[in-house]
Every structure is written in C-alpha cells, then in structure tokens.
Amino acid sequence: MGALLVLFGVLAGVGALLVVTLLRRGRGGTDTAEGLLLEQEARRQAHHDRVSFSTTAVHNSVPTASDVYNRRSGRP
C-alpha cells in the first residue's frame, strides 16, 4: 500500500513539474511584422511537409508522383 502511494506521489510531482514548466514558457508571440511572416511561412512549410511526407503519401504513390519531385527545377 505504501509503495502505491509513493508511485502516485511521484506521478503527481512529475505532473506538477510539467505544468509549471509549460506555464513558465508561455506563448510569447512575435512583435514585428517580419517575425509574424516568418512564423506564418514556418507553419505553412510544416503543414506541407506533414502532408507530403505522411506514411500514406510515401508508401502509396509512385516515386515520381510526390510533390517534392514535381517542385524540383530542371525535372526531366
């Protein structure tokens, strides 16, 4: 019984530490327009990469059908 209480105490402590860490980080946004544009471009690129390199896109298409292949310059 005591070991179970210790286990739950450790789990609660780790959870509290995670909450405190996340609250300290905050959601500090970008103040300048240039920074906002950089963040927007990074979000767009991340979304594009998630779609292009998903397991469905990678394993269920022919090698020359990917977005990366079609965007290359100098494609044969």
Side-chain angles (χ1 to χ4, degrees):
M1 181 73 178
L4 190 60
L5 290 175
V6 170
L7 175 66
F8 284 133
V10 168
L11 289 175
V14 169
L17 180 65
L18 290 174
V19 167
V20 169
T21 302
L22 290 175
L23 289 176
R24 283 184 52 204
R25 286 176 63 191
R27 298 275 304 170
T30 305
D31 295 332
T32 63
E34 182 180 356
L36 291 173
L37 290 174
L38 289 171
E39 287 180 3
Q40 184 179 22
E41 177 63 22
R43 272 194 309 274
R44 188 198 62 76
Q45 183 65 42
H47 173 73
H48 180 73
D49 289 345
R50 280 192 302 273
V51 171
S52 294
F53 301 113
S54 69
T55 187
T56 305
V58 170
H59 295 294
N60 293 331
S61 63
V62 295
T64 57
S66 71
D67 290 342
V68 175
Y69 182 81
N70 289 330
R71 286 183 296 167
R72 287 185 192 156
S73 59
R75 190 183 89 189

Coordinates of all heavy atoms in Angstrom, one line a residue:
M1 N 0.8 -1.2 0.0 CA 0.0 0.0 0.0 C 0.9 1.3 0.0 O 0.6 2.2 -0.7 CB -0.9 0.0 1.2 CG -1.8 1.1 1.3 SD -3.1 1.0 0.1 CE -4.1 2.4 0.5
G2 N 1.9 1.2 0.8 CA 2.8 2.4 0.8 C 3.5 2.6 -0.5 O 3.7 3.8 -0.9
A3 N 3.9 1.6 -1.2 CA 4.6 1.7 -2.5 C 3.7 2.3 -3.5 O 4.1 3.1 -4.3 CB 5.1 0.4 -3.0
L4 N 2.4 2.0 -3.4 CA 1.4 2.6 -4.3 C 1.2 4.1 -4.1 O 1.2 4.9 -5.0 CB 0.0 1.9 -4.2 CG -1.0 2.2 -5.2 CD1 -0.6 1.8 -6.6 CD2 -2.3 1.5 -4.8
L5 N 1.2 4.5 -2.8 CA 1.1 5.9 -2.5 C 2.4 6.7 -3.0 O 2.3 7.8 -3.5 CB 1.0 6.1 -1.0 CG -0.4 5.7 -0.5 CD1 -0.4 5.8 1.1 CD2 -1.5 6.5 -1.1
V6 N 3.5 6.0 -2.9 CA 4.8 6.7 -3.3 C 4.7 6.8 -4.9 O 5.1 7.9 -5.4 CB 6.0 5.8 -2.9 CG1 7.3 6.3 -3.6 CG2 6.2 5.9 -1.4
L7 N 4.2 5.8 -5.6 CA 4.1 5.8 -7.0 C 3.2 7.0 -7.4 O 3.6 7.8 -8.3 CB 3.6 4.5 -7.5 CG 3.3 4.5 -9.0 CD1 4.6 4.6 -9.8 CD2 2.6 3.2 -9.4
F8 N 2.0 7.1 -6.8 CA 1.1 8.2 -7.1 C 1.7 9.5 -6.8 O 1.5 10.5 -7.5 CB -0.2 8.0 -6.5 CG -1.1 6.9 -7.2 CD1 -1.7 6.0 -6.4 CD2 -1.2 6.9 -8.5 CE1 -2.5 5.0 -7.0 CE2 -2.0 5.9 -9.2 CZ -2.6 5.0 -8.4
G9 N 2.5 9.6 -5.7 CA 3.1 10.9 -5.3 C 4.1 11.3 -6.3 O 4.2 12.5 -6.7
V10 N 4.9 10.3 -6.8 CA 5.9 10.7 -7.8 C 5.3 11.1 -9.1 O 5.7 12.1 -9.7 CB 6.9 9.5 -8.1 CG1 7.7 9.7 -9.3 CG2 7.7 9.2 -6.8
L11 N 4.2 10.4 -9.5 CA 3.5 10.8 -10.7 C 2.9 12.2 -10.6 O 2.9 13.0 -11.5 CB 2.4 9.8 -11.1 CG 2.9 8.4 -11.6 CD1 1.7 7.5 -11.8 CD2 3.7 8.6 -12.9
A12 N 2.3 12.5 -9.4 CA 1.7 13.8 -9.2 C 2.8 14.9 -9.2 O 2.6 16.0 -9.8 CB 1.0 13.8 -7.9
G13 N 4.0 14.6 -8.7 CA 5.1 15.5 -8.7 C 5.6 15.8 -10.1 O 5.9 17.0 -10.5
V14 N 5.7 14.8 -10.9 CA 6.1 14.9 -12.3 C 5.1 15.7 -13.0 O 5.4 16.6 -13.8 CB 6.4 13.6 -12.9 CG1 6.6 13.7 -14.4 CG2 7.6 12.9 -12.3
G15 N 3.8 15.5 -12.8 CA 2.8 16.2 -13.5 C 2.8 17.7 -13.1 O 2.7 18.6 -14.0
A16 N 3.0 18.0 -11.8 CA 3.1 19.4 -11.4 C 4.3 20.1 -12.0 O 4.2 21.2 -12.4 CB 3.2 19.4 -9.9
L17 N 5.4 19.4 -12.1 CA 6.6 19.9 -12.7 C 6.4 20.3 -14.1 O 6.8 21.3 -14.6 CB 7.8 19.0 -12.5 CG 9.1 19.4 -13.1 CD1 9.6 20.7 -12.4 CD2 10.1 18.3 -13.1
L18 N 5.7 19.4 -14.9 CA 5.4 19.7 -16.3 C 4.5 20.9 -16.4 O 4.7 21.7 -17.3 CB 4.7 18.4 -16.9 CG 5.6 17.2 -17.1 CD1 4.8 16.0 -17.6 CD2 6.8 17.6 -18.1
V19 N 3.5 21.0 -15.6 CA 2.5 22.1 -15.6 C 3.3 23.4 -15.4 O 3.1 24.4 -16.1 CB 1.4 21.9 -14.6 CG1 0.6 23.2 -14.5 CG2 0.5 20.8 -15.1
V20 N 4.1 23.4 -14.4 CA 4.9 24.6 -14.0 C 5.8 25.0 -15.2 O 5.9 26.2 -15.6 CB 5.7 24.4 -12.7 CG1 6.7 25.5 -12.5 CG2 4.7 24.4 -11.6
T21 N 6.5 24.0 -15.8 CA 7.4 24.3 -16.9 C 6.6 24.9 -18.1 O 7.1 25.8 -18.7 CB 8.1 23.0 -17.3 OG1 8.8 22.4 -16.2 CG2 9.0 23.2 -18.5
L22 N 5.5 24.3 -18.4 CA 4.7 24.8 -19.5 C 4.2 26.2 -19.3 O 4.1 27.1 -20.2 CB 3.6 23.9 -19.9 CG 4.0 22.5 -20.5 CD1 2.8 21.6 -20.7 CD2 4.7 22.7 -21.8
L23 N 3.7 26.5 -18.0 CA 3.2 27.8 -17.7 C 4.3 28.9 -17.8 O 4.1 30.0 -18.1 CB 2.6 27.8 -16.4 CG 1.2 27.1 -16.3 CD1 0.7 27.0 -14.9 CD2 0.2 27.7 -17.2
R24 N 5.6 28.5 -17.4 CA 6.7 29.4 -17.4 C 7.1 29.8 -18.8 O 7.5 30.9 -19.1 CB 7.9 28.8 -16.7 CG 7.7 28.9 -15.2 CD 9.0 28.4 -14.5 NE 10.2 29.0 -15.0 CZ 11.4 28.5 -14.9 NH1 11.6 27.4 -14.3 NH2 12.4 29.2 -15.3
R25 N 7.0 28.8 -19.7 CA 7.3 29.0 -21.1 C 6.4 30.1 -21.7 O 6.9 30.9 -22.5 CB 7.3 27.7 -21.9 CG 8.4 26.8 -21.6 CD 8.2 25.5 -22.4 NE 8.3 25.7 -23.8 CZ 8.0 24.8 -24.7 NH1 7.5 23.6 -24.3 NH2 8.1 25.0 -26.0
G26 N 5.2 30.0 -21.5 CA 4.2 30.9 -22.0 C 4.1 30.8 -23.5 O 4.6 30.0 -24.2
R27 N 3.3 31.7 -24.1 CA 3.1 31.8 -25.5 C 3.6 33.1 -26.1 O 2.9 33.9 -26.7 CB 1.6 31.6 -25.9 CG 0.9 30.4 -25.4 CD 1.1 29.2 -26.4 NE 0.6 29.6 -27.7 CZ 0.8 28.9 -28.8 NH1 1.4 27.8 -28.7 NH2 0.3 29.3 -29.9
G28 N 4.9 33.4 -25.8 CA 5.5 34.6 -26.2 C 5.4 34.8 -27.7 O 6.1 34.1 -28.4
G29 N 4.6 35.7 -28.2 CA 4.4 35.8 -29.6 C 5.5 36.8 -30.2 O 6.3 37.3 -29.5
T30 N 5.5 36.9 -31.5 CA 6.4 37.8 -32.2 C 5.8 39.1 -32.3 O 4.6 39.3 -32.6 CB 6.7 37.2 -33.6 OG1 7.2 35.8 -33.4 CG2 7.7 38.0 -34.3
D31 N 6.6 40.1 -32.1 CA 6.1 41.5 -32.1 C 6.1 42.2 -33.5 O 5.3 43.0 -33.8 CB 6.8 42.4 -31.1 CG 6.6 41.9 -29.7 OD1 5.6 41.3 -29.4 OD2 7.5 42.1 -28.9
T32 N 7.1 41.8 -34.3 CA 7.3 42.5 -35.6 C 6.6 41.8 -36.7 O 6.3 40.6 -36.6 CB 8.8 42.6 -35.9 OG1 9.3 41.3 -36.1 CG2 9.6 43.4 -34.8
A33 N 6.3 42.6 -37.7 CA 5.6 42.0 -38.9 C 6.5 41.0 -39.6 O 6.0 39.9 -40.1 CB 5.3 43.1 -39.9
E34 N 7.8 41.2 -39.6 CA 8.7 40.3 -40.2 C 8.7 39.0 -39.5 O 8.7 37.9 -40.1 CB 10.2 40.8 -40.2 CG 11.2 39.9 -40.9 CD 12.6 40.5 -40.9 OE1 12.7 41.6 -40.4 OE2 13.5 39.8 -41.3
G35 N 8.7 39.0 -38.2 CA 8.6 37.8 -37.4 C 7.3 37.0 -37.6 O 7.3 35.8 -37.6
L36 N 6.2 37.8 -37.7 CA 4.9 37.1 -38.0 C 5.0 36.4 -39.3 O 4.4 35.3 -39.5 CB 3.8 38.2 -37.9 CG 3.5 38.7 -36.5 CD1 2.5 39.9 -36.7 CD2 3.0 37.6 -35.6
L37 N 5.6 37.1 -40.3 CA 5.7 36.4 -41.6 C 6.5 35.2 -41.6 O 6.2 34.2 -42.3 CB 6.2 37.4 -42.7 CG 5.3 38.6 -43.0 CD1 6.0 39.6 -43.9 CD2 4.0 38.1 -43.7
L38 N 7.6 35.2 -40.8 CA 8.5 34.1 -40.7 C 7.7 32.9 -40.0 O 7.8 31.8 -40.4 CB 9.7 34.4 -39.9 CG 10.8 35.3 -40.6 CD1 11.8 35.7 -39.6 CD2 11.4 34.5 -41.8
E39 N 7.0 33.2 -39.0 CA 6.2 32.2 -38.3 C 5.1 31.6 -39.2 O 4.9 30.4 -39.2 CB 5.5 32.8 -37.0 CG 6.5 33.0 -35.9 CD 5.8 33.6 -34.7 OE1 4.5 33.7 -34.7 OE2 6.5 33.9 -33.7
Q40 N 4.5 32.5 -40.0 CA 3.4 32.0 -40.9 C 4.1 31.1 -42.0 O 3.5 30.1 -42.3 CB 2.8 33.2 -41.6 CG 1.7 32.9 -42.5 CD 1.0 34.1 -43.1 OE1 1.7 35.2 -43.2 NE2 -0.2 34.0 -43.6
E41 N 5.2 31.5 -42.5 CA 5.9 30.6 -43.5 C 6.3 29.3 -42.9 O 6.2 28.2 -43.5 CB 7.1 31.4 -44.1 CG 7.9 30.6 -45.1 CD 7.1 30.2 -46.3 OE1 6.1 30.9 -46.6 OE2 7.5 29.2 -47.0
A42 N 6.8 29.3 -41.7 CA 7.2 28.1 -41.0 C 6.0 27.2 -40.8 O 6.1 25.9 -40.9 CB 7.9 28.4 -39.7
R43 N 4.9 27.7 -40.4 CA 3.6 26.9 -40.2 C 3.2 26.3 -41.5 O 2.8 25.2 -41.6 CB 2.5 27.8 -39.6 CG 2.5 27.8 -38.1 CD 1.2 28.4 -37.6 NE 0.8 29.6 -38.2 CZ 1.2 30.8 -37.7 NH1 2.0 30.9 -36.7 NH2 0.8 31.9 -38.3
R44 N 3.2 27.1 -42.6 CA 2.8 26.6 -43.9 C 3.8 25.5 -44.4 O 3.3 24.5 -44.9 CB 2.9 27.8 -44.9 CG 2.3 27.4 -46.3 CD 2.7 28.3 -47.4 NE 4.1 28.3 -47.6 CZ 4.8 27.3 -48.3 NH1 4.2 26.2 -48.7 NH2 6.1 27.4 -48.4
Q45 N 5.1 25.7 -44.2 CA 6.0 24.7 -44.6 C 5.8 23.4 -43.7 O 5.9 22.3 -44.3 CB 7.4 25.2 -44.4 CG 8.5 24.2 -44.9 CD 8.4 23.9 -46.4 OE1 8.2 24.8 -47.2 NE2 8.6 22.7 -46.7
A46 N 5.6 23.5 -42.5 CA 5.4 22.4 -41.6 C 4.1 21.6 -42.0 O 4.1 20.4 -42.1 CB 5.2 22.8 -40.1
H47 N 3.1 22.3 -42.4 CA 1.9 21.6 -42.8 C 2.1 20.9 -44.2 O 1.7 19.8 -44.3 CB 0.7 22.7 -43.0 CG -0.5 22.1 -43.7 ND1 -1.3 21.2 -43.0 CD2 -1.0 22.2 -44.9 CE1 -2.3 20.8 -43.8 NE2 -2.1 21.4 -45.0
H48 N 2.8 21.6 -45.1 CA 3.1 21.0 -46.3 C 4.0 19.7 -46.2 O 3.7 18.7 -46.8 CB 3.9 22.0 -47.2 CG 4.2 21.4 -48.6 ND1 3.3 21.2 -49.6 CD2 5.4 21.1 -49.1 CE1 3.9 20.7 -50.6 NE2 5.2 20.6 -50.3
D49 N 4.9 19.8 -45.3 CA 5.8 18.6 -45.0 C 5.0 17.5 -44.4 O 5.2 16.3 -44.7 CB 7.0 19.0 -44.1 CG 8.0 19.8 -44.9 OD1 7.9 19.9 -46.1 OD2 8.8 20.4 -44.2
R50 N 4.1 17.8 -43.5 CA 3.3 16.7 -42.9 C 2.4 16.0 -43.9 O 2.2 14.8 -43.9 CB 2.4 17.3 -41.8 CG 3.0 17.5 -40.5 CD 2.1 17.8 -39.4 NE 1.2 19.0 -39.6 CZ 1.5 20.2 -39.3 NH1 2.7 20.5 -38.7 NH2 0.7 21.2 -39.6
V51 N 1.9 16.8 -44.9 CA 1.1 16.2 -45.9 C 2.0 15.4 -46.9 O 1.7 14.3 -47.3 CB 0.3 17.3 -46.7 CG1 -0.4 16.7 -47.9 CG2 -0.8 17.9 -45.7
S52 N 3.0 16.0 -47.4 CA 3.9 15.4 -48.4 C 4.6 14.2 -47.9 O 4.9 13.3 -48.7 CB 4.9 16.4 -48.9 OG 4.2 17.4 -49.6
F53 N 5.0 14.1 -46.7 CA 5.8 13.0 -46.2 C 5.1 12.1 -45.2 O 5.7 11.4 -44.4 CB 7.1 13.6 -45.5 CG 7.9 14.4 -46.5 CD1 8.1 15.7 -46.3 CD2 8.5 13.8 -47.6 CE1 8.9 16.5 -47.2 CE2 9.3 14.5 -48.5 CZ 9.4 15.9 -48.3
S54 N 3.7 12.1 -45.3 CA 3.0 11.2 -44.4 C 3.2 9.8 -44.9 O 3.6 9.6 -46.0 CB 1.5 11.6 -44.5 OG 0.9 11.3 -45.7
T55 N 2.8 8.9 -44.1 CA 3.0 7.5 -44.5 C 2.2 7.1 -45.7 O 2.6 6.3 -46.5 CB 2.7 6.5 -43.3 OG1 3.1 5.2 -43.6 CG2 1.3 6.6 -42.8
T56 N 1.0 7.7 -45.8 CA 0.1 7.4 -47.0 C 0.8 7.9 -48.2 O 0.8 7.2 -49.2 CB -1.3 8.0 -46.8 OG1 -1.8 7.5 -45.5 CG2 -2.2 7.7 -47.9
A57 N 1.3 9.2 -48.2 CA 1.9 9.8 -49.4 C 3.1 9.1 -49.8 O 3.4 8.9 -51.0 CB 2.1 11.2 -49.1
V58 N 3.9 8.6 -48.8 CA 5.2 8.0 -49.1 C 5.0 6.6 -49.6 O 5.7 6.2 -50.6 CB 6.1 8.0 -47.9 CG1 7.3 7.2 -48.1 CG2 6.5 9.4 -47.5
H59 N 4.1 5.8 -49.0 CA 4.1 4.4 -49.4 C 3.0 4.0 -50.4 O 3.0 2.9 -50.9 CB 3.8 3.6 -48.1 CG 5.0 3.7 -47.1 ND1 6.2 3.2 -47.4 CD2 5.1 4.2 -45.9 CE1 7.0 3.4 -46.4 NE2 6.3 4.1 -45.4
N60 N 2.2 4.9 -50.8 CA 1.1 4.6 -51.7 C 1.1 5.4 -53.0 O 0.1 5.7 -53.6 CB -0.3 4.8 -51.0 CG -0.5 3.8 -49.9 OD1 0.0 2.7 -49.9 ND2 -1.3 4.2 -48.9
S61 N 2.3 5.8 -53.4 CA 2.4 6.5 -54.7 C 3.7 6.1 -55.4 O 4.6 5.6 -54.8 CB 2.5 8.0 -54.4 OG 3.6 8.3 -53.7
V62 N 3.7 6.3 -56.7 CA 4.9 6.0 -57.5 C 6.0 7.1 -57.1 O 5.6 8.2 -56.7 CB 4.6 6.0 -59.0 CG1 3.7 4.9 -59.3 CG2 4.0 7.3 -59.4
P63 N 7.3 6.8 -57.3 CA 8.3 7.7 -56.8 C 8.3 9.1 -57.5 O 8.6 10.1 -56.9 CB 9.6 7.0 -57.2 CG 9.2 5.5 -57.2 CD 7.8 5.5 -57.7
T64 N 7.8 9.1 -58.7 CA 7.8 10.4 -59.4 C 6.5 11.2 -59.2 O 6.4 12.3 -59.8 CB 8.0 10.2 -60.9 OG1 6.9 9.3 -61.4 CG2 9.3 9.6 -61.2
A65 N 5.6 10.8 -58.4 CA 4.4 11.5 -58.2 C 4.4 12.4 -57.0 O 3.4 13.0 -56.7 CB 3.2 10.5 -58.0
S66 N 5.5 12.4 -56.2 CA 5.5 13.2 -55.0 C 5.6 14.7 -55.3 O 6.0 15.1 -56.4 CB 6.7 12.8 -54.1 OG 7.9 13.3 -54.7
D67 N 5.1 15.5 -54.4 CA 5.2 17.0 -54.5 C 6.6 17.4 -54.6 O 6.9 18.4 -55.4 CB 4.6 17.7 -53.3 CG 3.1 17.5 -53.3 OD1 2.5 17.1 -54.3 OD2 2.5 17.7 -52.2
V68 N 7.6 16.8 -53.9 CA 8.9 17.2 -54.0 C 9.5 17.0 -55.4 O 10.2 17.9 -55.9 CB 9.8 16.4 -52.9 CG1 11.2 16.8 -53.0 CG2 9.3 16.7 -51.5
Y69 N 9.2 15.9 -56.0 CA 9.7 15.7 -57.4 C 9.1 16.7 -58.3 O 9.8 17.2 -59.2 CB 9.3 14.3 -57.8 CG 9.8 13.9 -59.2 CD1 11.1 13.5 -59.3 CD2 9.0 14.0 -60.3 CE1 11.6 13.1 -60.6 CE2 9.5 13.7 -61.5 CZ 10.8 13.2 -61.7 OH 11.2 12.9 -62.9
N70 N 7.8 17.0 -58.2 CA 7.2 18.0 -59.1 C 7.7 19.4 -58.9 O 7.6 20.2 -59.8 CB 5.7 17.9 -59.0 CG 5.1 16.6 -59.5 OD1 5.7 16.0 -60.4 ND2 4.0 16.2 -58.9
R71 N 8.2 19.8 -57.7 CA 8.7 21.1 -57.5 C 10.1 21.3 -57.8 O 10.6 22.4 -57.8 CB 8.5 21.5 -56.0 CG 7.0 21.7 -55.7 CD 6.9 22.1 -54.2 NE 7.4 21.0 -53.4 CZ 7.6 21.0 -52.2 NH1 7.5 22.2 -51.5 NH2 8.0 20.0 -51.5
R72 N 10.8 20.3 -58.1 CA 12.3 20.4 -58.5 C 12.4 21.2 -59.8 O 11.7 21.0 -60.7 CB 12.9 19.1 -58.7 CG 13.1 18.3 -57.4 CD 13.9 17.0 -57.7 NE 13.9 16.1 -56.6 CZ 14.0 14.9 -56.7 NH1 14.2 14.3 -57.8 NH2 14.0 14.1 -55.6
S73 N 13.5 22.0 -59.8 CA 13.7 22.7 -61.1 C 14.6 21.8 -61.9 O 15.4 21.0 -61.4 CB 14.5 24.0 -60.8 OG 15.7 23.7 -60.1
G74 N 14.4 21.8 -63.2 CA 15.2 21.0 -64.1 C 14.7 19.6 -64.2 O 15.5 18.7 -64.4
R75 N 13.5 19.3 -63.9 CA 12.9 18.0 -63.9 C 13.0 17.5 -65.4 O 12.7 18.2 -66.3 CB 11.5 18.0 -63.4 CG 10.9 16.7 -63.2 CD 9.5 16.8 -62.8 NE 8.7 16.8 -64.0 CZ 7.4 17.0 -64.1 NH1 6.7 17.3 -63.0 NH2 6.8 17.0 -65.2
P76 N 13.3 16.2 -65.6 CA 13.4 15.7 -67.0 C 12.0 15.6 -67.6 O 11.0 15.5 -67.0 CB 14.0 14.3 -66.8 CG 13.9 14.0 -65.3 CD 13.7 15.2 -64.6

